[in-house]
């Protein structure tokens, strides 16, 4: 098969690839120099829409509406945009081999792609229950949400199983967002997770209590402290029951699993230095192989603010790390210095009429402030995390744009606090006056 050669190749076609392409266009790229190789059949899009607007019963988000870079208020990059810029979009193409010393990638169909500079933007894959040998986990209508194809299949089944029973396995990001989306579609929803509260990697028990109460008021059944250990299916092979470890059996027409992801680094094993489950990079996302960069979920990078190496799985970092890598690549070419990546961790979510944002680090002591009554018509509450006498993290539900900017500023500046009771009383005012 013919070999294709490019100056720059981005492997992976998710959010990071789209933002990297935009930065290349901004910095100046010649037609034919850049290619994006993606196993998906569509141009890069804003993946968070899949667990939110894509599943709405009315006014649902659809492509081409949420191609990058609309998620951050930027221009929407349609397939034509890449054509105009001379960027080659190589879609429906899965890379199965990477030979970094030879600067070569090989696709499942045997095509070879040569590059001078490679950006690894392969993202994450979902962890499947079948990975743990859960019985019956291959039944029909058990869904995992990662790509637009997954969302399309889920939308069809939501329509087919109108007013049916849905079981969400997992109490993290995907679990909470999909629990809300399926309830909005008038399904009878149960959520199952082993932890003592939802979103335990970020939420305190106090924060989680609000969301669990709110979801319960919306008619969602929450089952904690147990896991799905098996599924039974009907004569059509469609899931009909979920067996739990505690002996309970739940009826189910639809099951959606959100038990985490793992970074897609297999192609590069043994060829680049790894750390903390990802590919180790410097502050410019350069790996241990000088002409190879890694961005987004797969990169373990120096988080300057906390002086430690971290891997961050979030769309905000996917966007910003991609832009930083391209600035660094172009900076070397132009002989310009580029500032080190100085990232403030940021997470957010939206479900029902709720919207929260978190900035910083969730370590140390915590205080909870504001109105966190799930029955409130307009709840607004938050938390601060305090370590070594400084505020290092801040969370806010129901904040305005200005208030969210204020908590971000607090997390970045890390002001000193001595009296936690006074901080609790002051609440959001503390952030707004910084």
């Amino acid at each position: 098969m013919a070999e294709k050669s490019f100056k720059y190749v981005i492997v992976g076609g998710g959010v990071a690839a789209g933002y990297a392409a935009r930065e290349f266009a901004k910095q100046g790229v010649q037609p034919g120099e850049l290619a994006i190789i993606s196993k998906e059949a569509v141009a890069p899009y804003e993946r968070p829409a899949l667990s939110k607007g894509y599943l709405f019963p009315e006014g649902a988000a659809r492509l081409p509406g949420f191609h990058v870079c609309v998620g951050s208020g930027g221009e929407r990059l349609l397939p034509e945009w890449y054509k105009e810029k001379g960027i080659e979009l190589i879609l429906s193409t899965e890379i199965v081999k990477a030979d970094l010393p030879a600067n070569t990638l090989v696709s499942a169909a045997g095509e070879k792609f040569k590059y001078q500079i490679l950006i690894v933007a392969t993202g994450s894959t979902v962890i499947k229950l079948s990975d743990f040998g859960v019985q019956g986990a291959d039944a029909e209508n058990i869904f995992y949400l990662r790509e637009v194809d997954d969302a399309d299949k889920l939308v069809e089944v939501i329509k087919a199983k109108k007013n049916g029973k849905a079981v969400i396995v997992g109490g993290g990001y995907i679990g909470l967002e999909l629990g809300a989306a399926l309830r909005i579609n008038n399904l009878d929803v149960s959520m199952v997770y082993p932890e003592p509260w939802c979103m335990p990697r970020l939420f305190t028990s106090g924060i989680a209590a609000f969301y669990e109460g709110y979801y319960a008021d919306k008619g969602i059944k929450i089952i904690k402290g147990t896991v799905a250990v098996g599924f039974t299916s009907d004569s059509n092979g469609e899931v009909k029951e979920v067996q739990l470890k505690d002996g309970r059996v739940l009826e189910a027409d639809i099951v959606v699993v959100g038990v985490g992801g793992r970074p897609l680094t297999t192609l590069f094993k043994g060829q680049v230095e790894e750390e903390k489950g990802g590919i180790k990079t410097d502050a410019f996302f350069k790996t241990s192989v000088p002409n190879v960069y890694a961005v987004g979920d797969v990169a373990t990078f120096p988080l300057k603010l906390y002086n430690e190496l971290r891997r961050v799985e979030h769309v905000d970092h996917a966007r910003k790390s991609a832009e930083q890598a391209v600035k660094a690549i172009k900076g070397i070419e132009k002989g310009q210095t580029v500032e080190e990546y100085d990232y403030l961790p940021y997470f957010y979510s939206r479900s029902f009429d709720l919207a929260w944002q978190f900035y910083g680090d969730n370590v140390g002591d915590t205080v909870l402030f504001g109105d966190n009554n799930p029955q409130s018509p307009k709840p607004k509450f938050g938390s601060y995390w305090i370590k070594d006498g400084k505020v290092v993290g801040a969370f806010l539900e129901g904040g305005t744009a200005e208030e969210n900017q204020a908590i971000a500023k607090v997390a970045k500046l890390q002001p000193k606090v001595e009296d936690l009771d006074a901080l609790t009383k002051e609440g959001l005012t503390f952030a707004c006056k910084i």
Side-chain angles (χ1 to χ4, degrees):
M1 265 194 176
E3 193 175 86
K4 284 188 168 183
S5 263
F6 300 94
K7 186 174 184 182
Y8 315 105
V9 167
I10 301 168
V11 61
V15 172
Y19 280 76
R22 181 178 69 168
E23 191 60 35
F24 267 117
K26 197 168 144 189
Q27 297 275 346
V29 69
Q30 295 303 308
E33 280 189 336
L34 171 62
I36 294 173
I37 306 174
S38 173
K39 75 179 178 69
E40 290 193 71
V42 292
Y45 56 88
E46 302 282 5
R47 212 177 286 287
L50 299 182
S51 59
K52 300 178 182 74
Y54 207 85
L55 302 176
F56 288 172
E58 286 161 28
R62 287 291 176 270
L63 287 173
F66 60 96
H67 280 297
V68 298
C69 301
V70 294
S72 58
E75 181 193 353
R76 186 165 51 124
L77 310 184
L78 299 171
E80 300 83 70
W81 178 88
Y82 297 88
K83 208 168 272 177
E84 282 164 20
K85 301 289 179 192
I87 297 167
E88 194 157 339
L89 267 184
I90 303 167
L91 303 175
S92 305
T93 301
E94 187 177 2
I95 296 300
V96 293
K97 189 184 175 206
D99 183 345
L100 300 188
N103 290 0
T104 304
L105 303 173
V106 184
S107 76
E111 303 153 288
K112 282 190 176 177
F113 302 97
K114 299 282 279 187
Y115 60 84
Q116 290 173 40
I117 291 174
L118 178 67
I119 297 180
V120 178
T122 41
S124 293
T125 186
V126 292
I127 294 170
K128 297 195 168 182
L129 294 180
S130 47
D131 299 346
F132 308 110
V134 174
Q135 217 171 348
D138 53 354
E140 291 290 314
N141 298 343
I142 296 179
F143 295 95
Y144 299 85
L145 191 64
R146 180 68 194 168
E147 297 175 358
V148 77
D149 283 354
D150 303 325
D152 284 337
K153 287 173 195 158
L154 182 55
V155 166
E156 285 313 304
V157 175
I158 288 169
K159 286 176 188 164
K161 304 290 182 184
K162 212 172 167 66
N163 305 329
K165 292 181 186 297
V167 175
I168 308 281
V169 178
Y173 253 114
I174 289 290
L176 286 168
E177 292 187 353
L178 287 178
L182 295 185
R183 189 70 195 110
I184 291 165
N185 278 280
N186 217 27
L187 288 153
D188 180 347
V189 179
S190 298
M191 290 180 68
V192 180
Y193 44 93
E195 298 90 358
W197 62 79
C198 63
M199 282 281 286
R201 280 168 63 186
L202 175 60
F203 288 0
T204 61
S205 59
I207 293 172
F210 166 81
Y211 294 99
E212 289 174 350
Y214 191 97
Y215 274 48
D217 288 345
K218 291 285 186 186
I220 294 174
K221 288 181 272 308
I222 291 175
I223 301 164
K224 300 186 275 189
T226 189
V227 291
V229 291
F231 301 91
T232 53
S233 18
D234 61 18
S235 53
N236 300 323
E238 294 184 355
V239 70
K240 67 170 186 178
E241 284 175 343
V242 183
Q243 287 129 11
L244 304 183
K245 195 175 184 178
D246 66 7
R248 277 184 275 186
V249 175
L250 307 177
E251 286 179 53
D253 300 299
I254 301 173
V255 173
V256 185
V257 182
V259 291
R262 58 169 67 97
L264 283 166
T265 57
T266 321
L267 284 171
F268 312 99
K269 288 259 179 252
Q271 301 187 75
V272 287
E273 211 177 311
E274 291 187 60
E275 184 126 358
K276 294 186 176 176
I279 297 170
K280 189 180 177 186
T281 76
D282 64 12
F284 307 98
F285 295 96
K286 186 186 279 192
T287 70
S288 57
V289 179
N291 65 331
V292 177
Y293 292 72
V295 297
D297 288 5
V298 297
T300 300
F301 65 97
L303 215 162
K304 197 176 175 179
L305 191 59
Y306 308 123
N307 194 28
E308 64 179 61
L309 286 172
R310 282 218 195 152
R311 198 173 64 76
V312 174
E313 290 179 9
H314 195 263
V315 66
D316 181 60
H317 165 66
R319 292 167 181 152
K320 288 173 179 168
S321 59
E323 290 169 348
Q324 172 74 353
V326 176
K327 282 174 187 161
I329 290 163
K330 284 296 191 176
I332 291 167
E333 288 175 11
K334 296 172 183 175
Q336 294 169 348
T337 54
V338 173
E339 282 185 31
E340 289 184 341
Y341 192 60
D342 189 7
Y343 186 64
L344 174 67
Y346 162 58
F347 301 95
Y348 72 90
S349 185
R350 291 188 300 274
S351 56
F352 294 118
D353 296 326
L354 305 173
W356 59 259
Q357 294 195 8
F358 167 85
Y359 294 89
D361 211 7
N362 60 327
V363 292
D365 297 320
T366 59
V367 300
L368 186 67
F369 61 83
D371 174 10
N372 65 333
N373 180 350
Q375 275 98 32
S376 285
K378 282 219 161 183
K380 183 186 284 194
F381 72 96
S383 268
Y384 296 118
W385 281 259
I386 303 96
K387 188 186 174 193
D388 300 332
K390 292 186 296 188
V391 177
V392 294
F395 171 98
L396 186 61
E397 164 62 51
T400 63
E402 292 76 22
E403 288 164 345
N404 287 327
Q405 280 170 353
I407 65 159
K409 194 176 175 187
V410 163
K412 185 79 175 167
L413 296 177
Q414 301 183 354
K416 284 193 167 114
V417 284
E418 284 165 18
D419 186 340
L420 297 193
D421 289 336
L423 181 62
T424 307
K425 284 195 190 83
E426 212 175 346
L428 189 54
T429 313
F430 174 82
C432 293
K433 68 179 191 189
I434 296 291

